Amino acid sequence: MQLNGLPFPGREREQAVLASVVTDLAAGRPAVVTVSGRPGFGQGPLLRWTAELAEERGLRVLRAQATLGESRLRYGVVEQLLTTMDGLTDSSLGALAVPERDDRLPGLAELLRGARDRPTLVVVDEVEWLDPDSRRWFGALVRRLPGMPVSLLASSSGVSHWGWCGGFPFPGPVPSRQLALSAFTLRDVTTLVTTVCGTPGQEPFNAAACEISAGNPMVLHEALRQFTARGFAPVAEQVPELRALIEAICGEYVARALSGLSDTAVAVVRALAVCGELLDLPQLYALAGPRAASEPGLGAALEASGLATASDTGLRLCCPEARKWILEEMTAAERAELHARAAELAHRAALPDEDIARLLLDARPLGEPWVIHVLRRTCAAALRAGHPDRAIACLSRALEEPLDPAERAQLGLELAAIEVLTAPEASDRRLAEIVRSGGDAPARARVRAADLGLTRGGVAGLRSAVADALATAHGAEREALAGLFRLTEPGSPDDVDLLLPEIPPLPDRPTDPAQAAARARQLALHGEGLPTARALARLAFTGEPGSDVLILPRITAGRILLLTDDLDEAETRLDALHVDLRRRNARAAAALVLAVRGELNLRQGRLDAAERDVAAAGRALPHAHWHPNHVSYLMGLRITVALDGGRLDDARELADAPTPPGAQDSVSYGHLLFARALVAFRDGRLPEALELFRGCGRRLLRHDRANPALMPWRSMAAQVCHALGDHEEAQRLSQEEIALARRWGAAGTLGVALLGAGRVAREARAHRLREAVHSLRPTAARLAYAGALIDLATAELDAGDRQAAAPLVAELFTFTTTHRPSSRLAGRVRHLAERLGQSAAPGPGPQPAWATLTEPERRTATLAGLGHGNREIAEMLSVTRRTVELRLSGAYRKLRIGGRAELHALVRATEGYGTDVA
């Protein structure tokens, strides 16, 4: 389809100008017009349209096409004009054939003589490629135009060519015009889409067509023609099909343009495709080759080709997308060599690491020490910016350099630690290769590879690799590998049958940190030997944090300290471990540490901190990349945090989420079963809850996990049995848990077991609950302690002993002030306070400035107003005494009070408690 004789709209203004030139020429008035623009902007169609219009009006039209190949051929373009002209003399023909320079202008007199009888339009395409003699000839023609019925119409690509025919301004009364064609606007593209496709395009489609084609009308017209011929419609969903067509058309153009350039010009274009504007012009020419700086007219030739144009730094590609097509014209070896030379030049020019690394990624190995340093620094920057794919590419490229075994193994470890973010299976395979590398990698590197992979949970291949490595390992390496193997669960029964005979048994009191953690784990899972397990767990933390300190033993030891009630020590250890892992970019391990710390905060009743840690664990390693052996642990923790936070709908949604493939086969699946059971229990689905609790217990016992400190599934199942009327089973389960808790010896675990027994007791319930409170009070298991206080206060009130219940409710108020408990727990505290005739809900205080306090200031001021000292408040809130002092100072200033006496009165009024309760 054509519009106004052109294949595309948007050139109506230029057509009007050219039509007036033809009209004036028919009336004997000459003109000189140059149409310029980038290739594909429509110069050729406009010249053809004008020539056809002139012929239709009876004018004589002479045409010629200048080309790069004939730019050194004497009178090459003039000969094209004259061979179609009648009346050319033998003398003129002879002058065209003379190879030497002379002053004759062959055929010019005949052209002017014939024009007196028939006005003549001379049309020349691509005048930038005129040979010198043709350029002189056209200059002479222009000087003779005044009074002659001859017009000259020329086109050029890439650059403006005013004065291309020997003079500026043009002499005499001859009108001269320069028509500079611009890229299509969105409005032009919209019209073109409607014209070619026969239907208006959707706005997103039109905008994408304009952007992808860079407003090039001929490229877009051809792409739309093919697009419509294939039955596509101009809708947003089919933009990818249009993009593919445009890219193919542009690629064909690039290939044609390159074929018309000299070897030196092609080398410069390729250099531009490799380095863009990173290098200045002298460096660019040095990259292109020795002849680039001295070849005459090189810049003009590149601009005329439409591939490159001038820039502030020298040259740049006109179309950035052309880079791909230019590089595809080269062989792989040529590309690698050119990128290598460009990287060396960029390094000598002290360009930023990121720019040098981009060149190195496609370069052949250079064997220079600076290459590794640049790629490592760029990798670190990419990780900080949140671009793991770029970081992986940098380290993968570094491994292609010639390296010694130790350095190769170190880079492999760093790469595997990052690959868990995008390709965890590849990370496991890489680590298994390092473990099996034998003497090709240092012993410590093999141990660290096993540690990193087993920490992530990849036991399927790594346990086998560790077993293979143990056959040749000696000394400390053998002890560490054996310890790491014992710290993991088998991936399948075959794993146990085939591999265990090859693994050395653990000593009762090992000295190696990995074996110490493994032995402590054995004791903790069985629920016996708590003092020994605690001592061995602490032994696993020996050594300064750093790249040589193993990860899995420390994570395991931190979890054991949770079970031994050493929560403060566990928190300190886990904090230090997390900092170390972040420095080492061990994302999978860092995420697991955050999850464990979230469980720790949950046990301590710090719901805010638990929610932050669980969310941070998901950010450190997206849930989709958690190993099936660990993902159930995280899912169960998320459900429990949502439940304790009062977000029952979120907990239900998480509990109903599908289980990731492979997760049901892991030991940690018990955590998910337990959490799902809690949701079912909360919803009143008692038979389902009982089956889930029992399923959790079966899984734990099948893997030799008897310690109730892991999960109190027996006491929870007992509560369900009690609610269902099966009191005998409830008593059996609760007594079994108490016996196991006493065997383990942790006060917190025993307190939870006693709490469970008190909840199902049919006699002496208050006595059991007092035992639970007494056992839990000195521990850091504050959430379980708060639950025990609530149950005991309820039992005392039910028995009519308000005096015994009052201090319990006061203590609960301190807990709800210090922590952000679940709405359900806070509601139960309010209910107890109301039964005592008190209000546990913060009411509107008499001091309006109370509302201006920040949450930390409010908590600190409340505790101070309740009579707690600064040191006690600092311990309760896990902050320093200086922080407490600063918060109180801020509270005093905002409240405009002078000290604790006024604060005490204000807290009593604001929180609704009397002095006796505080």
Side-chain angles (χ1 to χ4, degrees), residues 444 510-514 516 535-546 548-550 553-554 557 573:
R444 197 60 189 172
T511 57
D512 175 77
L536 291 173
R538 289 169 175 165
L539 177 60
F541 285 103
T542 56
E544 293 296 325
D548 285 336
V549 180
L550 299 183
R554 289 187 287 167
R573 301 285 196 182

Side-chain angles (χ1 to χ4, degrees), residues 354-375:
E354 185 176 357
D355 293 331
I356 302 174
R358 183 176 64 79
L359 297 170
L360 287 171
L361 290 180
D362 294 312
R364 59 165 172 77
L366 276 69
E368 297 289 342
W370 60 264
V371 173
I372 303 298
H373 299 311
V374 167
L375 291 170

Side-chain angles (χ1 to χ4, degrees), residues 470-643:
L470 277 167
T472 57
H474 301 282
E477 179 190 6
R478 181 176 177 81
E479 290 185 356
L481 288 175
L484 290 172
F485 186 93
R486 297 286 183 178
L487 279 170
T488 59
E489 300 292 334
S492 66
D494 292 341
D495 189 344
V496 177
D497 297 338
L498 298 176
L499 301 181
L500 275 181
E502 307 295 331
I503 310 302
L506 287 174
D508 290 337
R509 297 304 294 256
T511 57
D512 175 77
Q515 293 196 2
R519 177 60 180 153
R521 176 174 174 271
Q522 282 183 348
L523 295 171
L525 295 183
H526 293 161
E528 58 189 15
L530 185 149
T532 302
R534 176 186 287 133
L536 291 173
R538 289 169 175 165
L539 177 60
F541 285 103
T542 56
E544 293 296 325
S547 60
D548 285 336
V549 180
L550 299 183
I551 301 169
L552 184 57
R554 289 187 287 167
I555 294 180
T556 303
R559 297 181 77 168
I560 292 170
L561 291 176
L562 261 68
L563 306 181
T564 60
D565 279 356
D566 298 291
L567 272 65
D568 291 338
E569 181 180 355
E571 182 176 15
T572 301
R573 301 285 196 182
L574 291 173
D575 288 345
L577 177 56
H578 181 245
V579 171
D580 183 31
L581 295 177
R582 288 192 61 184
R583 181 185 59 80
R584 294 164 60 175
N585 291 319
R587 296 296 185 89
L592 184 58
V593 169
L594 286 169
V596 174
R597 201 172 68 181
E599 180 187 356
L600 182 149
N601 284 315
L602 198 59
R603 292 187 181 216
Q604 291 180 312
R606 299 193 299 229
L607 185 60
D608 288 348
E611 288 181 341
R612 286 196 299 270
D613 281 339
V614 171
R619 289 193 301 270
L621 185 67
H623 299 157
H625 294 310
W626 279 67
H627 197 280
N629 288 342
H630 292 322
V631 69
S632 295
Y633 174 63
L634 177 66
M635 292 177 67
L637 192 59
R638 293 175 67 197
I639 294 170
T640 308
V641 168
L643 274 177

Side-chain angles (χ1 to χ4, degrees), residues 756-803:
R759 286 170 174 171
V760 301
R762 306 184 71 181
E763 297 178 355
R765 181 167 181 264
H767 174 70
R768 286 286 195 187
L769 293 173
R770 288 192 195 97
E771 285 184 326
V773 169
H774 177 74
S775 182
L776 289 168
R777 178 172 281 125
T779 73
R782 308 316 294 166
L783 193 60
Y785 179 56
L789 287 175
I790 289 175
D791 286 356
L792 180 57
T794 301
E796 299 290 10
L797 286 173
D798 290 344
D801 193 344
R802 297 168 59 87
Q803 185 176 1

Side-chain angles (χ1 to χ4, degrees), residues 634-657:
L634 177 66
M635 292 177 67
L637 192 59
R638 293 175 67 197
I639 294 170
T640 308
V641 168
L643 274 177
D644 287 340
R647 296 181 284 109
L648 187 56
D649 290 340
D650 291 345
R652 290 194 191 101
E653 183 179 352
L654 290 169
D656 293 338

